Amino acid sequence: MSASSLPLALLDAGHAELPFVFVNPAFERLCGYAARDTLGRHASLVLAACSEEASLRSLLEPADATTAANAGLRIACRVRQRDATERAVLAVFDPVRDNRGRVTHWIVALDDAPTAL
């Protein structure tokens, strides 16, 4: 994941705040935040506004939920950059499950393609 040219992050689904547990260098470049500034922080630090807020809130359901909402999400969002500007992206949230099917983490891939929005 570190070597990917796509901006990627890993969020801890076990906490309601969905804290960052990993961001790759492409994520750091897009958002302007160093990994040390994001790790352990709430996902809203970067994900400023989403067009489908109800869908994004469904990520906050208990990590063991097996609803359709936990199958993954593609959401048009605005990323809040370190300099306080916002940038349109497509955020793809994909669940990581344990051997019992519980969502433990979310992989977030950001597509910096505002024309796709």
Side-chain angles (χ1 to χ4, degrees):
M1 287 178 45
S2 291
S4 176
S5 63
L6 281 174
L8 299 174
L10 189 63
L11 306 178
D12 186 346
H15 296 277
E17 304 86 30
L18 296 172
F20 289 99
V21 294
F22 169 84
V23 297
N24 73 350
F27 184 95
E28 291 177 291
R29 284 189 298 277
L30 174 70
C31 300
Y33 287 96
R36 69 180 173 273
D37 298 326
T38 58
L39 299 182
R41 306 269 313 266
H42 190 289
S44 67
L45 169 73
V46 173
L47 297 175
C50 293
S51 63
E52 300 175 28
E53 290 183 29
S55 295
L56 185 57
R57 277 195 297 269
S58 73
L59 291 175
L60 298 175
E61 291 178 358
D64 62 349
T66 56
T67 63
N70 285 339
L73 299 166
R74 300 174 71 81
I75 304 172
C77 287
R78 296 213 171 269
V79 168
R80 182 180 304 116
Q81 297 174 303
R82 186 172 190 90
D83 65 4
T85 60
E86 291 186 358
R87 187 177 201 158
V89 298
L90 178 64
V92 179
F93 293 81
D94 196 45
V96 176
R97 298 178 186 275
D98 65 13
N99 59 357
R100 294 183 181 171
R102 292 180 294 201
V103 177
T104 61
H105 294 83
W106 289 94
I107 297 172
V108 182
L110 301 178
D111 184 358
D112 184 20
T115 57
L117 304 176

